[in-house]
Amino acid sequence: MTNYDFKAIEKKWQHYWNVNRCHEPDMAQSENKFYNLTMFSYPSGDRLHVGHWYNFAPADTFARFKKMCGYNVFQPQGFDAFGLPAENYAIKHGIHPAISTRQNISRMKEQLIEMGAMFDWRNEINTSSPEYYKWTQWLFLKLMEMGLAYQKKSPVNWCPSCSTVLANEQVNNGECDRCHSQVTKRLLKQWFFKITEYAEELLTCLDSLNWPEKTKHMQRNWIGKSIGSSIQFSVVGHSEVIEVFTTRSDTIFGATYMVLAPEHPFVNSITTTNCLSKVTEYVESTKKLSEIDRTSSDRDKSGVFTGAYAINPLTQQEIPIWISDYVVASYGTGAIMAVPSGDERDFQFATKFNLPIIEVVSADGEIHGNDQCFSDYGIVINSEKYNGMTSEAAKISVDDFLESKGIGGAKVQYKLHDWLISRQRYWGAPIPIIHCDDCGIVPVPFDQIPVLLPDDINLAKTYGQDISPLATHDNFINANCPVCNKPAKRDADTMDTFVCSSWYYLRYPDSHFDDGPFNPDKTAWLPIDQYIGGAEHATMHLLYARFITKALRDGGYLNFDEPFSNLFHQGTITRDGAKMSKSKGNTVSPDTYIEKCGADVFRSYLMFMGPFDEGGDWTDTGIVGIERFIQKSWKLCQKELNSSESAKDLYILHTTIKSVTSDLESKKFNTALSRLMEFVNYFVAKNTISKNIRDQFVQLLAPFMPHAAEELWEMFGNKNSIFNSNWPKCNEQFTIESMIEIAIQVNGKLRGSIEIDKNISKEALLQRVKELENIHKFISGKEIVKEIFVPGRLVNIVIK
RNA sequence: GCCGAGGUGGUGAAAUUGGUAGACGCGCCGGACUCAAAAUCCGGUGACCCUUGGGUCGUGUGGGUUCGAUUCCCACCCUCGGUACCA
């Protein structure tokens, strides 16, 4: 009997898989394809951590299972290699990002190979390589061609610590998603992708996706569709027309004042001289407030009067225009009509500043006074010809009226903003644009990309100076205009790394393709059949990738609507309740466990810990259970074989096949392993096993413990990899039991159980049951009200 | 505040459409093997009561529906995610 020498075994099979190219599907053959993808990772300087394993290893088990089920499985790997950490590391240690990135990638690859996963390395991707970012630049130029990339000056999020602007999605609670510094606003000219053009489709297509509901929900909220009306208010004595968005045009007769965001472009022009100093002071003071302070909703309302008045288009009344920070510039038009009787915030504001309140909607159509605000739908009052209408009906009538006058009408508003993709950093894909004094913004011609990122750059010199490092690089920044050939300047910014990751999955099927971002002959491998990654990307990567896919479809490059038909989020492994991070010093390295018990045991333990989508707090007590399990399995597989198989043996085998198969299908790895343990416990107790049953067991084990299974399979005399064998089939006929145990209840309380023929009739069963001593005790002398029989489960005798 | 997910033994966790709560694992207790220990194997292990058979309670808390509720309904408490005056 051989020992389970995991060190030798794991090395041996990793080598075997590599030499025999076991993980390289025939890419010319997309029939029966299964594109299994985990989110690629950032090549950090740390070793691979438990989080990586928790993403990759169970995903690999799933891929191996699919392969044994007969799929042509493609599981590529790559690196999201551009980004801030490498650049910051360079500033601190003087090591060029290209060098540290290259080192990190090669080290991570070694570790990924040790994991024993079925990665196809032929199509490795490194987003920081020119052959990749050439096509990121191509994507930019294409989007520009399609009118989906544009430059605009607007107030944008600025992270002072990262020294760059950020997209809306990358700001949480007013903090930078990456470094948690307070984000400030700056008025800058930046590049945007027009994701809002796809807002409606991004929203509606969610319904068809097999994604976690929670994630779809988050995307719906992020897109933030809101159906309402746009209404124009003219300003007394000015040519300006203030446009507002409201979901309650039925309450317009109660609009007794207006509020502009302090950043609203009209503030300067409409403010009267006597109000100017107060308005200026207020605008300045809001600038100083942090995003968090400004947006905490329980804050007291503040604001000042501009001195200007607008005309309510339905009442023709003059209403004062105020500014207040409770109106945010970034949503809608940055201006509102305020209806204090119908909106809690307006009500607070009006009460504080003594502005008039007119009741316009009530539940019953009667007048109830202005002591409180009524924000529900109801019956319209105090609104001339609209009186007596329901809110719903009044909205339609008011919208019709506004439309007929050309001053508004029904409108749909989204919370989603265009995606700001410029970054004032070095380690990213340069934006392929040239700024010419005469010709303006000129895209770099397609035959001149990639616009190469220069190697020789002094990062420390520019850091913290609010300029893009590339702006200081003379050879880079100076270029001739492609149109007029006069001296011009390149765009000094690089692209958000989320642009790189928004299309990488398209390139994997042929990552060395030279004539385009992805090989049109290989698009049959798309879209991804199973995508597995963290939930933290819900409103960033996962939204951007969907948008880019749709844009490329409309550009005629793809013929599908959604990149990730099936999405699964692995849970997070925490340590003492906290997310693991290097800065907290609470990371757990898999390496010591690999050294001690091997990759098979470690990956299986991660899967056995609990449900894959829940993660959990890390503890290694219990890993010994998996070690014992493989040891027992190992010995069992070397037992002297028994040529006979009892009905019970076959029952155990086939019920195990059945549950392991369905558990794997739904990624319930923990319960699948439990079933395998039960299987082993049974046959260890029996002390013998048949060849047939033993072989099928090892096949069931293989996706979890690929190295060990290969070794056993070879020991059994097989010449081919176990992953080329067919997944065992459950024969239902063996899973049927003739005798079953039925629970016996009296008044719903368990009083015993009985082993009985499965097909026994209710009458016969009840007769047998009533004769049982413990049951008789409870029912004798009592009136039987009801007898409930759940076939295969229980009987319940209800007595009075 | 709002939205979503979740609270089950000492512990990680299981439980078809409501149908024997705690599978499987860890830990712990007892036993076998051993000079002894480790490893391994066997048995036990929700709490309380009781002499065995058994009984009472028990899935965050309090109600409800039901013959029967971890599962459905109502109210509340706590934890974790998301969101943040979104007009």
Side-chain angles (χ1 to χ4, degrees), chain A residues 159-423:
Chain A
C159 174
S161 161
C162 295
S163 193
T164 181
V165 298
L166 298 170
N168 254 20
E169 288 79 12
Q170 294 150 35
V171 179
N172 296 321
N173 272 323
E175 287 182 5
C176 171
D177 185 57
R178 188 173 286 285
C179 72
H180 305 287
S181 313
Q182 290 267 318
V183 166
T184 58
K185 290 278 182 190
R186 283 194 176 186
L187 194 66
L188 291 170
K189 202 172 188 186
Q190 299 286 306
W191 284 98
F192 290 84
F193 284 170
K194 222 181 249 178
I195 190 170
T196 54
E197 189 114 313
Y198 287 85
E200 188 61 33
E201 199 196 329
L202 287 167
L203 183 67
T204 52
C205 282
L206 283 172
D207 297 335
S208 66
L209 296 178
N210 180 23
W211 281 26
E213 279 307 319
K214 155 180 101 171
T215 306
K216 294 207 257 185
H217 190 260
M218 277 165 69
Q219 288 210 351
R220 282 191 194 102
N221 286 348
W222 192 260
I223 294 165
K225 182 180 185 178
S226 171
I227 297 167
S229 329
S230 122
I231 309 176
Q232 291 172 10
F233 288 72
S234 49
V235 183
V236 178
H238 285 86
S239 58
E240 278 93 346
V241 170
I242 300 174
E243 191 183 338
V244 303
F245 174 76
T246 177
T247 52
R248 295 299 302 272
S249 56
D250 57 314
T251 65
I252 188 164
F253 282 81
T256 51
Y257 65 101
M258 297 192 81
V259 186
L260 306 184
E263 299 88 349
H264 196 282
F266 293 174
V267 172
N268 278 333
S269 52
I270 64 168
T271 300
T272 57
T273 338
N274 55 331
C275 292
L276 192 60
S277 63
K278 279 200 165 157
V279 167
T280 314
E281 192 188 321
Y282 187 80
V283 170
E284 286 307 312
S285 72
T286 28
K287 270 190 198 159
K288 288 196 191 97
L289 282 178
S290 75
E291 197 81 2
I292 294 198
D293 294 338
R294 240 194 99 162
T295 53
S296 68
S297 49
D298 48 347
R299 225 171 104 242
D300 223 21
K301 296 277 176 291
S302 66
V304 291
F305 179 43
T306 61
Y309 290 84
I311 309 283
N312 182 322
L314 272 88
T315 64
Q316 299 305 321
Q317 297 280 314
E318 290 191 4
I319 56 174
I321 304 170
W322 286 62
I323 62 168
S324 170
D325 60 13
Y326 85 90
V327 173
V328 295
S330 55
Y331 181 73
T333 60
I336 61 158
M337 67 172 201
V339 183
S341 62
D343 183 287
E344 204 54 60
R345 297 153 299 180
D346 299 345
F347 185 81
Q348 283 172 21
F349 192 84
T351 311
K352 180 163 178 187
F353 295 106
N354 263 317
L355 290 156
I357 303 172
I358 301 170
E359 191 184 8
V360 283
V361 175
S362 73
D364 52 7
E366 302 293 323
I367 292 169
H368 297 273
N370 293 327
D371 294 344
Q372 49 189 357
C373 126
F374 179 83
S375 57
D376 290 343
Y377 279 19
I379 308 292
V380 172
I381 51 177
N382 283 329
S383 302
E384 298 177 10
K385 66 173 182 180
Y386 302 96
N387 285 344
M389 285 186 178
T390 62
S391 291
E392 291 88 345
K395 270 163 78 165
I396 294 168
S397 299
V398 170
D399 288 353
D400 286 349
F401 172 80
L402 293 166
E403 202 165 330
S404 72
K405 296 281 172 195
I407 52 166
K411 190 189 174 186
V412 174
Q413 180 69 46
Y414 298 93
K415 219 182 85 174
L416 183 70
H417 285 65
D418 278 340
W419 173 17
L420 195 172
I421 58 105
S422 309
R423 294 292 178 272

Side-chain angles (χ1 to χ4, degrees), chain A residues 450-509:
Chain A
V451 174
L452 288 172
L453 197 57
D455 288 340
D456 51 334
I457 188 121
N458 186 347
L459 292 168
K461 200 174 84 187
T462 57
Y463 179 72
Q465 298 190 12
D466 299 0
I467 43 163
S468 299
L470 290 175
T472 66
H473 192 287
D474 290 342
N475 284 341
F476 175 86
I477 205 74
N478 295 309
N480 290 338
C481 170
V483 177
C484 69
N485 209 33
K486 279 193 204 140
K489 301 265 184 211
R490 289 191 188 278
D491 201 294
D493 291 349
T494 53
M495 283 185 252
D496 181 4
T497 50
F498 281 107
V499 177
C500 309
S501 58
S502 69
W503 71 278
Y504 77 109
Y505 48 90
L506 302 171
R507 189 163 174 81
Y508 269 137

Side-chain angles (χ1 to χ4, degrees), chain A residues 500-730:
Chain A
C500 309
S501 58
S502 69
W503 71 278
Y504 77 109
Y505 48 90
L506 302 171
R507 189 163 174 81
Y508 269 137
D510 187 353
S511 73
H512 307 293
F513 188 61
D514 268 343
D515 298 329
F518 42 86
N519 187 341
D521 296 340
K522 302 281 166 63
T523 48
W525 277 86
L526 303 168
I528 282 92
D529 296 286
Q530 178 67 60
Y531 199 32
I532 301 180
E536 67 274 15
H537 292 105
T539 55
M540 293 192 274
H541 165 61
L542 288 167
L543 190 63
Y544 299 146
R546 293 182 63 216
F547 155 60
I548 293 298
T549 297
K550 288 172 192 299
L552 289 171
R553 174 205 58 196
D554 291 345
Y557 298 96
L558 296 172
N559 60 0
F560 52 91
D561 302 319
E562 289 286 343
F564 318 121
S565 359
N566 298 290
L567 171 70
F568 196 94
H569 294 309
Q570 81 275 16
T572 313
I573 302 292
T574 54
R575 171 76 172 212
D576 302 322
K579 215 171 172 166
M580 287 187 204
S581 77
K582 201 187 176 189
S583 57
K584 283 189 213 125
N586 63 348
T587 54
V588 174
S589 160
D591 298 2
T592 47
Y593 297 100
I594 309 314
E595 177 66 23
K596 230 171 72 193
C597 40
D600 281 350
V601 165
F602 186 66
R603 53 143 61 194
S604 297
Y605 177 60
L606 287 173
M607 287 184 263
F608 184 66
M609 270 173 42
F612 185 36
D613 57 351
E614 280 177 28
D617 209 47
W618 174 258
T619 153
D620 60 10
T621 64
I623 197 164
V624 64
I626 299 289
E627 276 186 284
R628 286 176 192 155
F629 166 64
I630 181 61
Q631 291 287 1
K632 278 202 263 185
S633 305
W634 194 260
K635 281 182 201 154
L636 174 66
C637 286
Q638 295 182 78
K639 282 243 167 13
E640 213 163 306
L641 293 171
N642 189 339
S643 54
S644 70
E645 291 166 349
S646 71
K648 178 86 190 214
D649 292 356
L650 290 167
Y651 173 80
I652 297 285
L653 172 69
H654 287 279
T655 50
T656 304
I657 293 173
K658 192 176 179 176
S659 41
V660 170
T661 305
S662 72
D663 282 352
L664 276 172
E665 207 66 73
S666 49
K667 302 175 196 70
K668 287 156 80 177
F669 304 109
N670 54 334
T671 48
L673 279 161
S674 299
R675 296 291 92 87
L676 291 171
M677 287 174 179
E678 285 177 304
F679 174 99
V680 169
N681 290 345
Y682 170 84
F683 284 100
V684 164
K686 195 177 161 149
N687 207 23
T688 179
I689 191 167
S690 76
K691 174 176 167 42
N692 163 49
I693 295 178
R694 178 201 68 181
D695 288 3
Q696 294 192 59
F697 162 69
V698 174
Q699 289 179 294
L700 295 178
L701 182 69
F704 300 92
M705 305 216 180
H707 310 88
E710 287 277 33
E711 183 70 17
L712 287 166
W713 194 245
E714 189 188 54
M715 261 197 251
F716 300 164
N718 296 292
K719 295 280 172 257
N720 214 328
S721 163
I722 192 170
F723 297 100
N724 291 327
S725 70
N726 294 324
W727 188 251
K729 275 205 167 50
C730 163

